[in-house]
């Protein structure tokens, strides 16, 4: 903060010294900024002063430059209004009020380029009209009998706008400072009372800044800690205290400077510097708000698990980009640029970029969808398009899957978002289906006892589902009686499933061994006819 205030002080000395030298050395050069072609622009002479109303450029310079303290000719400035709008005194007062309105709105003679065309045509209205600023849509000049003057409509609104711009107390302050302008005694082109005001504002700015830092660090921090909001006290407040303090200070400087009635060049320079510092800290503030939003989302996701932790870095980058883009657009808007055209250009540019990088964009959106929907997580066993394996990493572009042949499979996230994903790792139960084949000669009573013993083994197993399983004599096969074994295991991964399955299978083998139940295997009985014996019997007969 001290650096920026030092830059402001340095600007005051440098700008005012240059201005002072220029005004002392060039008092008689009153039209140095006008184009040289006096005959083309029909320069007029009044009170030994040349002026022109042949273009919007000349009208604006005639108005504002002839109200400068070193070049104070209000009679000349009054020529910019139609003669029918009032007496010369009234028109002079309107010219002064309008200049004060411009100063408060940050409109200076050097702040924009005014057209030099004598027959300038506005692109929107298709008429000989020039709008001074989008901030003052009702103030415009128009071509009247070959001269550019303020319209009667605008002229009638000036006093009303002046009262709206400067409330009653502010108008009194402007009148008071205007009276101070008559005081003599200058230092580097600025009067003594203006220097005193600037130095006082500088000291007050230092005090306000450090008091704000102290207040937020000591008072607000302790209050939030007592309210059990330690995260806000330790992480949020330190990020916001400096940008907010500087934004308040720059706004104060920006709105107080016009009341000092400094020379136009100095006021314009002050306006530019305060706007730059204000916009700089505004971008920082938006950037910090983006980080704080992500911090809150991260805290919320830890508590509710509604947002995947892998999605937080993506949101952080997106929020930061949005914050910086909004800050840049606001900066351009504060400096008088029409951001609607910029936004339109960005939109068309975004469409072109989207077409050029549609695969990359598709993969990025796919990664966001994966993080948001969470169809699988790292460590899950998934089957995608005939490929099975364990998810090792979920990236912003691809997902890596380690197959059961130990190869590494990279699948683009855009493809994953359009694919059927069988997440075997999210199963609550692991199914096991088998047929226990016993020989046909096994007694039915023994089969019943065998089935009951298997059911008891399932009930005693620590990792089986107890509410649903089936052990039934199910099929008369060609060479065996088949008993259906249909059971579910409660396990987290494939290794635990195999271990649980092995435990149950060994238990069944031991039951069969104890009960004397044999397991059948496919057999065939072949009968071979003896044709030679049949032929011998027929010969003897």
């Amino acid at each position: 903060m001290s650096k920026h205030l030092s830059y402001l002080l340095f600007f005051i000395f440098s700008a005012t010294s240059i201005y002072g030298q220029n005004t002392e050395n060039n008092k008689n050069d009153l039209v140095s900024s006008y184009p040289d072609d006096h005959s083309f622009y029909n320069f007029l002479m009044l009170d030994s002063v040349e002026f022109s109303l042949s273009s919007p450029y000349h009208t604006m310079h005639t108005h504002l430059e002839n109200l400068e303290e070193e070049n104070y000719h209000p009679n000349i400035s009054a020529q910019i209004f139609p003669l029918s709008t009032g007496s010369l005194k009234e028109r002079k007062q309107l010219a002064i009020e309008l200049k004060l309105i411009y100063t408060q709105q940050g409109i200076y003679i050097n702040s924009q380029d005014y057209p030099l065309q004598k027959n300038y045509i506005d692109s929107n209205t298709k008429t000989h009209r020039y709008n001074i600023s989008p901030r003052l849509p009702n103030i415009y000049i128009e071509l009247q009998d070959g001269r550019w003057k303020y319209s009667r409509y605008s002229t009638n609104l000036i006093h009303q706008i002046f009262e709206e711009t400067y409330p009653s107390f502010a108008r009194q302050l402007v009148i008071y400072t205007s009276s101070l302008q008559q005081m003599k005694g200058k230092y580097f082109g600025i009067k003594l009372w203006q220097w005193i005001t600037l130095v006082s504002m500088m000291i007050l700015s230092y005090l306000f800044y450090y008091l704000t830092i102290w207040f937020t660090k000591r008072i607000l921090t302790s209050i939030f800690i007592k309210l059990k909001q330690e995260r806000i006290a330790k992480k949020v407040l330190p990020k916001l205290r400096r940008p907010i303090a500087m934004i308040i200070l720059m706004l104060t400087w920006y709105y107080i400077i016009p009341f000092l009635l400094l020379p136009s060049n100095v006021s314009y320079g002050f306006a530019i510097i305060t706007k730059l510092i204000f916009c700089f800290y505004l971008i920082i503030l938006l950037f910090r708000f983006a980080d704080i939003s992500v911090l809150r989302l991260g805290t919320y996701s830890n508590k509710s698990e509604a947002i995947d932790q892998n999605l937080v870095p993506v949101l952080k980058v997106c929020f930061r980009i949005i914050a910086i883009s909004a800050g840049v657009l606001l900066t351009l808007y504060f400096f008088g640029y029409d951001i609607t055209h910029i936004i339109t250009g960005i939109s068309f540019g975004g469409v072109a970029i989207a077409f050029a990088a549609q695969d990359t964009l598709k993969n990025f959106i796919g990664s966001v969808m994966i993080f948001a929907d969470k169809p699988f997580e790292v460590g899950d066993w998934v089957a995608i398009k005939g490929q099975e394996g364990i998810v090792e990493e979920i990236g912003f572009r691809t997902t890596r899957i380690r197959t059961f042949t130990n190869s590494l499979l990279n699948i683009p996230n855009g493809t994953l978002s359009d694919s059927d994903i069988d997440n075997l790792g999210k199963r609550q139960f692991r199914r096991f289906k088998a047929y226990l084949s016993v020989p046909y000669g096994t007694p039915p009573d023994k089969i019943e006892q065998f089935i009951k013993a298997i059911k008891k083994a399932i009930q005693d197993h620590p990792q089986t589902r107890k509410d649903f399983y089936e052990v039934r004599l199910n099929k008369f096969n060609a060479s065996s009686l088949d008993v259906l074994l249909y059971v579910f295991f409660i396990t987290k991964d494939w290794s635990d499933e195999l271990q649980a399955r092995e435990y149950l299978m060994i238990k069944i083998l031991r039951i069969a061994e104890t009960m004397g139940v044999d397991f059948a295997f496919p057999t065939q009985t072949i009968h071979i006819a003896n044709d030679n014996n049949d032929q011998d019997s027929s010969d003897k007969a």
Side-chain angles (χ1 to χ4, degrees):
M1 184 271 184
S2 58
K3 291 182 179 179
H4 295 304
L5 292 178
S6 301
Y7 293 154
L8 281 173
L9 189 59
F10 172 76
F11 168 77
I12 294 172
F13 282 106
S14 59
T16 53
S17 61
I18 294 173
Y19 175 79
Q21 293 174 2
N22 289 339
T23 54
E24 293 297 330
N25 296 331
N26 301 315
K27 286 184 178 179
N28 296 324
D29 189 10
L30 302 179
V31 292
S32 60
S33 63
Y34 286 33
D36 296 332
D37 195 347
H38 284 46
S39 60
F40 180 77
Y41 287 111
N42 301 322
F43 274 75
L44 305 173
M45 182 72 71
L46 179 65
D47 296 338
S48 302
V49 178
E50 286 186 315
F51 70 97
S52 175
L53 303 175
S54 298
S55 71
Y57 173 92
H58 292 91
T59 297
M60 291 301 297
H61 278 259
T62 298
H63 174 204
L64 298 177
E65 287 191 347
N66 285 288
L67 291 178
E68 293 291 339
E69 186 178 0
E70 299 295 334
N71 186 33
Y72 193 72
H73 302 287
N75 293 339
I76 305 298
S77 294
Q79 304 305 313
I80 60 176
F81 298 106
L83 298 177
S84 60
T85 55
S87 63
L88 178 61
K89 181 179 179 180
E90 291 174 341
R91 286 183 282 127
K92 288 195 296 183
Q93 184 63 29
L94 289 175
I96 295 172
E97 290 183 357
L98 186 55
K99 183 187 178 183
L100 291 173
I101 294 171
Y102 287 162
T103 303
Q104 185 63 34
Q105 294 292 331
I107 302 172
Y108 300 96
I109 194 68
N110 299 321
S111 62
Q112 58 192 84
D113 295 328
Y114 301 104
L116 281 165
Q117 295 90 344
K118 292 166 53 173
N119 294 318
Y120 172 81
I121 296 178
D122 181 63
S123 58
N124 295 324
T125 62
K126 306 301 180 183
T127 59
H128 295 289
R129 173 190 294 185
Y130 177 73
N131 286 85
I132 306 303
S133 173
R135 283 166 281 182
L136 296 170
N138 293 323
I139 301 298
Y140 57 89
I141 54 179
E142 60 185 8
L143 190 61
Q144 302 175 14
D145 300 327
R147 296 180 181 179
W148 286 86
K149 295 184 179 183
Y150 285 97
S151 67
R152 291 177 177 83
Y153 174 76
S154 300
T155 304
N156 293 331
L157 289 176
I158 290 175
H159 189 66
Q160 177 184 345
I161 297 174
F162 178 73
E163 291 182 345
E164 294 173 355
T165 305
Y166 295 93
S168 58
F169 69 91
R171 289 198 296 273
Q172 297 298 324
L173 181 60
V174 169
I175 294 172
Y176 177 71
T177 53
S178 299
S179 64
L180 290 177
Q181 285 292 92
Q182 309 303 320
M183 294 174 58
K184 296 183 179 180
K186 283 188 176 182
Y187 301 91
F188 300 103
I190 293 182
K191 294 184 179 295
L192 179 61
W193 72 270
Q194 294 171 329
W195 275 116
I196 294 174
T197 306
L198 289 172
V199 173
S200 301
M201 288 178 59
M202 190 73 67
I203 294 173
L204 291 175
S205 298
Y206 272 107
L207 292 175
F208 173 81
Y209 177 78
Y210 287 111
L211 283 174
T212 303
I213 298 299
W214 176 84
F215 178 77
T216 54
K217 184 182 293 185
R218 299 293 179 88
I219 308 299
L220 286 183
T221 301
S222 61
I223 291 174
F224 279 108
I225 290 176
K226 289 180 180 179
L227 294 174
K228 297 181 180 180
Q229 298 289 335
E230 295 185 3
R231 180 179 291 272
I232 295 177
K234 295 181 179 180
K235 292 188 176 182
V236 176
L237 288 179
K239 290 178 177 292
L240 300 181
R241 62 167 68 106
R242 181 172 305 209
I244 291 177
M246 289 301 299
I247 286 174
I248 294 174
L249 280 176
M250 291 304 106
L251 284 174
T252 304
W253 276 83
Y254 183 79
Y255 285 105
I256 288 181
I257 286 299
F259 292 102
L260 300 181
L261 302 180
L262 295 168
S264 296
N265 292 339
V266 179
S267 297
Y268 177 63
F270 262 116
I272 294 296
I273 289 179
T274 52
K275 281 183 181 180
L276 285 174
I277 299 176
F278 172 82
C279 294
F280 174 74
Y281 278 101
L282 179 63
I283 293 174
I284 292 179
L285 184 64
L286 294 174
F287 193 84
R288 298 282 172 81
F289 271 125
D291 288 347
I292 291 169
S293 301
V294 174
L295 182 66
R296 296 291 295 173
L297 285 174
T299 304
Y300 175 72
S301 64
N302 289 332
K303 293 180 179 179
S304 64
E305 297 184 357
I307 301 176
D308 195 292
Q309 283 294 323
N310 295 316
L311 185 60
V312 173
V314 179
L315 293 176
K316 187 174 184 179
V317 173
C318 293
F319 284 4
R320 283 183 170 182
I321 292 174
I322 292 172
I324 294 175
S325 301
V328 171
L329 289 175
L330 287 174
T331 300
L332 295 174
Y333 174 76
F334 291 147
F335 278 90
Y337 291 94
D338 187 2
I339 62 174
T340 55
H341 299 295
I342 298 175
I343 294 174
T344 304
I346 292 174
S347 302
F348 283 108
V351 172
I353 293 173
F355 275 111
Q358 55 182 328
D359 291 336
T360 302
L361 188 62
K362 180 181 179 181
N363 291 328
F364 176 77
I365 295 175
S367 65
V368 173
M369 296 298 294
I370 290 172
F371 291 141
D373 294 341
K374 295 190 288 187
F376 52 80
E377 297 176 353
V378 174
D380 285 351
W381 172 12
V382 296
I384 304 171
K385 289 190 173 183
Q387 300 285 343
E388 289 188 23
I390 306 299
V391 179
E392 281 197 350
E393 181 183 350
I394 304 173
F396 291 144
R397 199 186 74 84
T398 61
T399 295
R400 293 185 175 90
I401 298 175
R402 180 71 63 179
T403 66
F404 295 118
T405 59
N406 203 36
S407 62
L408 190 62
L409 180 65
N410 289 278
I411 303 178
N413 290 333
T415 303
L416 286 177
S417 62
D418 296 333
S419 302
D420 296 330
I421 301 173
D422 187 4
N423 192 336
L424 303 173
K426 291 295 184 183
R427 292 177 295 176
Q428 292 180 316
F429 309 106
R430 308 293 179 100
R431 189 186 68 168
F432 177 44
K433 180 180 179 182
Y435 288 97
L436 307 177
S437 300
V438 296
Y440 268 103
T442 305
D445 293 338
K446 184 177 287 189
I447 292 176
E448 287 183 352
Q449 295 298 323
F450 181 59
I451 291 174
K452 290 180 180 179
I454 293 175
K455 289 182 177 180
K456 186 177 185 306
I458 294 173
Q459 288 289 338
D460 295 337
H461 195 291
Q463 293 176 287
T464 55
R465 182 179 177 183
K466 306 301 190 295
D467 60 335
F468 180 72
Y469 62 88
E470 296 292 344
V471 184
R472 303 287 182 182
L473 182 61
N474 180 256
K475 190 184 295 184
F476 291 101
N477 212 336
S479 58
S480 63
L481 299 171
D482 290 345
V483 177
L484 172 65
L485 176 64
Y486 193 79
V487 65
F488 292 89
F489 296 106
I490 305 174
T491 57
K492 293 182 179 181
D493 53 42
W494 190 45
S495 179
D496 290 343
E497 178 188 354
L498 293 178
Q499 185 177 357
R501 186 185 298 184
E502 179 187 23
Y503 181 87
L504 180 61
M505 292 173 68
I506 291 176
K507 184 70 175 177
I508 292 172
L509 288 174
R510 287 175 179 170
I511 292 171
E513 183 181 4
T514 302
M515 298 182 64
V517 175
D518 296 327
F519 290 103
F521 50 89
T523 58
Q524 289 182 340
T525 302
I526 302 175
H527 297 275
I528 302 175
N530 192 347
D531 295 337
N532 292 329
N533 292 335
D534 294 341
Q535 186 176 0
D536 291 340
S537 300
S538 60
D539 290 342
K540 289 179 180 180

